[in-house]
Amino acid sequence: MAPVLKTAEELEIMREAGRIVARAHEAMRSAAVPGVTTKTLDDIATSVLRDHGASPCFLGYAPGNHPPFPATITASVNDELVHGIPSETRALEEGDIIGIDVACFYQGYVGDAAVTLPIGEISGSARRLLRAAENALEAAIHASVLGNRISDVAKATAKSAGRMGYSVAREYTGHGVGTAMHEEPQVPNWWPGKRSEVRWVNYELQVGMTYAIEPMLIAGRPDLKELEDGWTVVTKDGSLTAHCEHTIAITEDGPRILTLP
Ligand code: MG
């Protein structure tokens, strides 16, 4: 199925959905200090979404063999790459980094964005990793221009991360966003060589395409495993990870970020 191209009117609704997600992130950013639990951050996001007439996409989401996701946000601390489940017993500690992903439905459309936040003072190496994830996202957004393909976006992410000495997650990708949280195209963080068994459709970028780009950087080896909760993805070697994400639209004037405040 080819990517669904959005009209200017649809993009305005998606921009509003994205703005609500950005507001939830802002509210959580101010609350993300040592001692706060990941459940408290989840409660904050839940009320921001509710106050703006939006509903969480992750709550109850149960693809494949996964149990229904029980929260509004995914909260992934340190070696947890993505899909961490918020918990009343998980208090954040000084020096942690936490990846928070939020997606909402608003008037039938989705906004989806993630950030990784420092908790109190963090180490120099954690700071460098966070900056690298943001740089990789920026590079991928810059590559999201007419004339390019999805492979150019993926390569921009991988190249930016690689230059800083980090690996990227291979099993998880960005994705088209629209009336559903996951549409075509898949937007990977790397592009396989000809002999790889991995195959993604290498769409040419078109005006009206909307997708989430989400670099997932890993300080150590890119081998991952899922915990027994059926969701949380961690690095096998325990190394630190950082994840950030924006939903963007392809326009004639270049990429438009839909998930800014
Ligand atoms: Mg997301």
Side-chain angles (χ1 to χ4, degrees), residues 82-102:
V82 285
H83 305 167
I85 300 175
S87 159
E88 279 171 353
T89 58
R90 184 70 185 263
L92 296 170
E93 291 174 22
E94 179 94 20
D96 281 345
I97 58 173
I98 178 172
I100 303 174
D101 200 338
V102 190

PDB file of all heavy atoms in Angstrom, residues 82-102:
ATOM      1  N   VAL A  82      13.313   1.531  23.888  1.00  0.00           N
ATOM      2  CA  VAL A  82      11.952   2.001  23.593  1.00  0.00           C
ATOM      3  C   VAL A  82      10.949   1.130  24.345  1.00  0.00           C
ATOM      4  O   VAL A  82      11.293   0.061  24.872  1.00  0.00           O
ATOM      5  CB  VAL A  82      11.613   1.924  22.075  1.00  0.00           C
ATOM      6  CG1 VAL A  82      12.301   3.039  21.299  1.00  0.00           C
ATOM      7  CG2 VAL A  82      11.956   0.565  21.497  1.00  0.00           C
ATOM      8  N   HIS A  83       9.694   1.595  24.385  1.00  0.00           N
ATOM      9  CA  HIS A  83       8.534   0.820  24.840  1.00  0.00           C
ATOM     10  C   HIS A  83       8.526   0.485  26.322  1.00  0.00           C
ATOM     11  O   HIS A  83       7.863  -0.472  26.737  1.00  0.00           O
ATOM     12  CB  HIS A  83       8.378  -0.482  24.017  1.00  0.00           C
ATOM     13  CG  HIS A  83       8.312  -0.242  22.543  1.00  0.00           C
ATOM     14  ND1 HIS A  83       8.433  -1.245  21.618  1.00  0.00           N
ATOM     15  CD2 HIS A  83       8.119   0.884  21.827  1.00  0.00           C
ATOM     16  CE1 HIS A  83       8.339  -0.750  20.396  1.00  0.00           C
ATOM     17  NE2 HIS A  83       8.143   0.553  20.497  1.00  0.00           N
ATOM     18  N   GLY A  84       9.264   1.254  27.147  1.00  0.00           N
ATOM     19  CA  GLY A  84       9.224   1.040  28.593  1.00  0.00           C
ATOM     20  C   GLY A  84       7.847   1.381  29.153  1.00  0.00           C
ATOM     21  O   GLY A  84       7.190   2.316  28.702  1.00  0.00           O
ATOM     22  N   ILE A  85       7.411   0.601  30.127  1.00  0.00           N
ATOM     23  CA  ILE A  85       6.083   0.802  30.721  1.00  0.00           C
ATOM     24  C   ILE A  85       6.207   1.683  31.961  1.00  0.00           C
ATOM     25  O   ILE A  85       6.969   1.350  32.879  1.00  0.00           O
ATOM     26  CB  ILE A  85       5.448  -0.561  31.087  1.00  0.00           C
ATOM     27  CG1 ILE A  85       5.295  -1.426  29.831  1.00  0.00           C
ATOM     28  CG2 ILE A  85       4.100  -0.353  31.767  1.00  0.00           C
ATOM     29  CD1 ILE A  85       4.794  -2.833  30.117  1.00  0.00           C
ATOM     30  N   PRO A  86       5.466   2.800  32.017  1.00  0.00           N
ATOM     31  CA  PRO A  86       5.510   3.653  33.202  1.00  0.00           C
ATOM     32  C   PRO A  86       5.121   2.871  34.448  1.00  0.00           C
ATOM     33  O   PRO A  86       4.253   1.994  34.386  1.00  0.00           O
ATOM     34  CB  PRO A  86       4.477   4.744  32.905  1.00  0.00           C
ATOM     35  CG  PRO A  86       4.369   4.772  31.428  1.00  0.00           C
ATOM     36  CD  PRO A  86       4.584   3.356  30.984  1.00  0.00           C
ATOM     37  N   SER A  87       5.754   3.217  35.582  1.00  0.00           N
ATOM     38  CA  SER A  87       5.522   2.452  36.804  1.00  0.00           C
ATOM     39  C   SER A  87       5.593   3.355  38.032  1.00  0.00           C
ATOM     40  O   SER A  87       6.418   4.271  38.100  1.00  0.00           O
ATOM     41  CB  SER A  87       6.570   1.342  36.905  1.00  0.00           C
ATOM     42  OG  SER A  87       6.695   0.910  38.236  1.00  0.00           O
ATOM     43  N   GLU A  88       4.735   3.042  39.000  1.00  0.00           N
ATOM     44  CA  GLU A  88       4.725   3.781  40.270  1.00  0.00           C
ATOM     45  C   GLU A  88       5.976   3.513  41.075  1.00  0.00           C
ATOM     46  O   GLU A  88       6.318   4.275  41.977  1.00  0.00           O
ATOM     47  CB  GLU A  88       3.518   3.335  41.110  1.00  0.00           C
ATOM     48  CG  GLU A  88       2.245   3.999  40.706  1.00  0.00           C
ATOM     49  CD  GLU A  88       1.033   3.389  41.389  1.00  0.00           C
ATOM     50  OE1 GLU A  88       1.186   2.365  42.078  1.00  0.00           O
ATOM     51  OE2 GLU A  88      -0.059   3.956  41.204  1.00  0.00           O
ATOM     52  N   THR A  89       6.642   2.406  40.797  1.00  0.00           N
ATOM     53  CA  THR A  89       7.800   2.040  41.602  1.00  0.00           C
ATOM     54  C   THR A  89       9.116   2.435  40.929  1.00  0.00           C
ATOM     55  O   THR A  89      10.191   2.195  41.477  1.00  0.00           O
ATOM     56  CB  THR A  89       7.822   0.521  41.863  1.00  0.00           C
ATOM     57  OG1 THR A  89       7.841  -0.148  40.597  1.00  0.00           O
ATOM     58  CG2 THR A  89       6.598   0.085  42.640  1.00  0.00           C
ATOM     59  N   ARG A  90       9.028   3.034  39.741  1.00  0.00           N
ATOM     60  CA  ARG A  90      10.263   3.441  39.061  1.00  0.00           C
ATOM     61  C   ARG A  90      10.495   4.934  39.261  1.00  0.00           C
ATOM     62  O   ARG A  90       9.953   5.761  38.519  1.00  0.00           O
ATOM     63  CB  ARG A  90      10.182   3.113  37.564  1.00  0.00           C
ATOM     64  CG  ARG A  90      11.466   3.411  36.779  1.00  0.00           C
ATOM     65  CD  ARG A  90      12.536   2.426  37.174  1.00  0.00           C
ATOM     66  NE  ARG A  90      13.846   2.672  36.594  1.00  0.00           N
ATOM     67  CZ  ARG A  90      14.302   2.068  35.501  1.00  0.00           C
ATOM     68  NH1 ARG A  90      13.555   1.240  34.827  1.00  0.00           N
ATOM     69  NH2 ARG A  90      15.521   2.306  35.060  1.00  0.00           N
ATOM     70  N   ALA A  91      11.275   5.266  40.303  1.00  0.00           N
ATOM     71  CA  ALA A  91      11.610   6.668  40.541  1.00  0.00           C
ATOM     72  C   ALA A  91      12.887   7.002  39.775  1.00  0.00           C
ATOM     73  O   ALA A  91      13.846   6.233  39.789  1.00  0.00           O
ATOM     74  CB  ALA A  91      11.789   6.915  42.024  1.00  0.00           C
ATOM     75  N   LEU A  92      12.883   8.141  39.110  1.00  0.00           N
ATOM     76  CA  LEU A  92      14.056   8.553  38.345  1.00  0.00           C
ATOM     77  C   LEU A  92      15.162   8.999  39.293  1.00  0.00           C
ATOM     78  O   LEU A  92      14.897   9.563  40.355  1.00  0.00           O
ATOM     79  CB  LEU A  92      13.677   9.687  37.391  1.00  0.00           C
ATOM     80  CG  LEU A  92      12.671   9.246  36.329  1.00  0.00           C
ATOM     81  CD1 LEU A  92      12.131  10.455  35.568  1.00  0.00           C
ATOM     82  CD2 LEU A  92      13.310   8.245  35.376  1.00  0.00           C
ATOM     83  N   GLU A  93      16.403   8.711  38.881  1.00  0.00           N
ATOM     84  CA  GLU A  93      17.549   9.061  39.715  1.00  0.00           C
ATOM     85  C   GLU A  93      18.435  10.064  38.997  1.00  0.00           C
ATOM     86  O   GLU A  93      18.485  10.078  37.765  1.00  0.00           O
ATOM     87  CB  GLU A  93      18.360   7.791  40.027  1.00  0.00           C
ATOM     88  CG  GLU A  93      17.628   6.835  40.950  1.00  0.00           C
ATOM     89  CD  GLU A  93      18.366   5.522  41.133  1.00  0.00           C
ATOM     90  OE1 GLU A  93      19.598   5.485  40.898  1.00  0.00           O
ATOM     91  OE2 GLU A  93      17.712   4.531  41.503  1.00  0.00           O
ATOM     92  N   GLU A  94      19.114  10.851  39.803  1.00  0.00           N
ATOM     93  CA  GLU A  94      20.108  11.793  39.276  1.00  0.00           C
ATOM     94  C   GLU A  94      21.039  11.042  38.316  1.00  0.00           C
ATOM     95  O   GLU A  94      21.542   9.975  38.648  1.00  0.00           O
ATOM     96  CB  GLU A  94      20.912  12.353  40.464  1.00  0.00           C
ATOM     97  CG  GLU A  94      22.000  13.322  40.100  1.00  0.00           C
ATOM     98  CD  GLU A  94      21.515  14.774  40.171  1.00  0.00           C
ATOM     99  OE1 GLU A  94      20.501  15.036  40.848  1.00  0.00           O
ATOM    100  OE2 GLU A  94      22.157  15.622  39.541  1.00  0.00           O
ATOM    101  N   GLY A  95      21.234  11.584  37.121  1.00  0.00           N
ATOM    102  CA  GLY A  95      22.141  10.958  36.165  1.00  0.00           C
ATOM    103  C   GLY A  95      21.462  10.036  35.175  1.00  0.00           C
ATOM    104  O   GLY A  95      22.083   9.611  34.196  1.00  0.00           O
ATOM    105  N   ASP A  96      20.175   9.718  35.419  1.00  0.00           N
ATOM    106  CA  ASP A  96      19.432   8.906  34.442  1.00  0.00           C
ATOM    107  C   ASP A  96      19.166   9.705  33.168  1.00  0.00           C
ATOM    108  O   ASP A  96      19.117  10.935  33.192  1.00  0.00           O
ATOM    109  CB  ASP A  96      18.052   8.508  35.004  1.00  0.00           C
ATOM    110  CG  ASP A  96      18.111   7.343  35.995  1.00  0.00           C
ATOM    111  OD1 ASP A  96      19.147   6.655  36.045  1.00  0.00           O
ATOM    112  OD2 ASP A  96      17.102   7.138  36.703  1.00  0.00           O
ATOM    113  N   ILE A  97      18.932   8.999  32.090  1.00  0.00           N
ATOM    114  CA  ILE A  97      18.308   9.637  30.918  1.00  0.00           C
ATOM    115  C   ILE A  97      17.055   8.833  30.596  1.00  0.00           C
ATOM    116  O   ILE A  97      17.032   7.606  30.708  1.00  0.00           O
ATOM    117  CB  ILE A  97      19.257   9.745  29.698  1.00  0.00           C
ATOM    118  CG1 ILE A  97      19.782   8.382  29.255  1.00  0.00           C
ATOM    119  CG2 ILE A  97      20.418  10.681  29.998  1.00  0.00           C
ATOM    120  CD1 ILE A  97      20.584   8.454  27.947  1.00  0.00           C
ATOM    121  N   ILE A  98      15.995   9.561  30.238  1.00  0.00           N
ATOM    122  CA  ILE A  98      14.722   8.885  29.994  1.00  0.00           C
ATOM    123  C   ILE A  98      14.172   9.276  28.624  1.00  0.00           C
ATOM    124  O   ILE A  98      14.022  10.461  28.318  1.00  0.00           O
ATOM    125  CB  ILE A  98      13.687   9.182  31.110  1.00  0.00           C
ATOM    126  CG1 ILE A  98      12.349   8.505  30.792  1.00  0.00           C
ATOM    127  CG2 ILE A  98      13.496  10.687  31.321  1.00  0.00           C
ATOM    128  CD1 ILE A  98      11.318   8.570  31.897  1.00  0.00           C
ATOM    129  N   GLY A  99      13.918   8.254  27.827  1.00  0.00           N
ATOM    130  CA  GLY A  99      13.268   8.453  26.537  1.00  0.00           C
ATOM    131  C   GLY A  99      11.761   8.376  26.727  1.00  0.00           C
ATOM    132  O   GLY A  99      11.261   7.412  27.312  1.00  0.00           O
ATOM    133  N   ILE A 100      11.063   9.424  26.286  1.00  0.00           N
ATOM    134  CA  ILE A 100       9.612   9.454  26.435  1.00  0.00           C
ATOM    135  C   ILE A 100       8.980   9.613  25.054  1.00  0.00           C
ATOM    136  O   ILE A 100       9.313  10.535  24.311  1.00  0.00           O
ATOM    137  CB  ILE A 100       9.154  10.632  27.316  1.00  0.00           C
ATOM    138  CG1 ILE A 100       9.829  10.564  28.686  1.00  0.00           C
ATOM    139  CG2 ILE A 100       7.642  10.641  27.455  1.00  0.00           C
ATOM    140  CD1 ILE A 100       9.534  11.777  29.561  1.00  0.00           C
ATOM    141  N   ASP A 101       8.077   8.711  24.741  1.00  0.00           N
ATOM    142  CA  ASP A 101       7.380   8.751  23.456  1.00  0.00           C
ATOM    143  C   ASP A 101       5.897   8.991  23.742  1.00  0.00           C
ATOM    144  O   ASP A 101       5.336   8.371  24.647  1.00  0.00           O
ATOM    145  CB  ASP A 101       7.575   7.398  22.746  1.00  0.00           C
ATOM    146  CG  ASP A 101       7.322   7.472  21.244  1.00  0.00           C
ATOM    147  OD1 ASP A 101       6.623   8.405  20.799  1.00  0.00           O
ATOM    148  OD2 ASP A 101       7.818   6.582  20.530  1.00  0.00           O
ATOM    149  N   VAL A 102       5.302   9.914  23.015  1.00  0.00           N
ATOM    150  CA  VAL A 102       3.866  10.193  23.146  1.00  0.00           C
ATOM    151  C   VAL A 102       3.261  10.273  21.755  1.00  0.00           C
ATOM    152  O   VAL A 102       3.809  10.931  20.871  1.00  0.00           O
ATOM    153  CB  VAL A 102       3.572  11.566  23.798  1.00  0.00           C
ATOM    154  CG1 VAL A 102       2.087  11.686  24.129  1.00  0.00           C
ATOM    155  CG2 VAL A 102       4.401  11.813  25.018  1.00  0.00           C
TER     156      VAL A 102
END
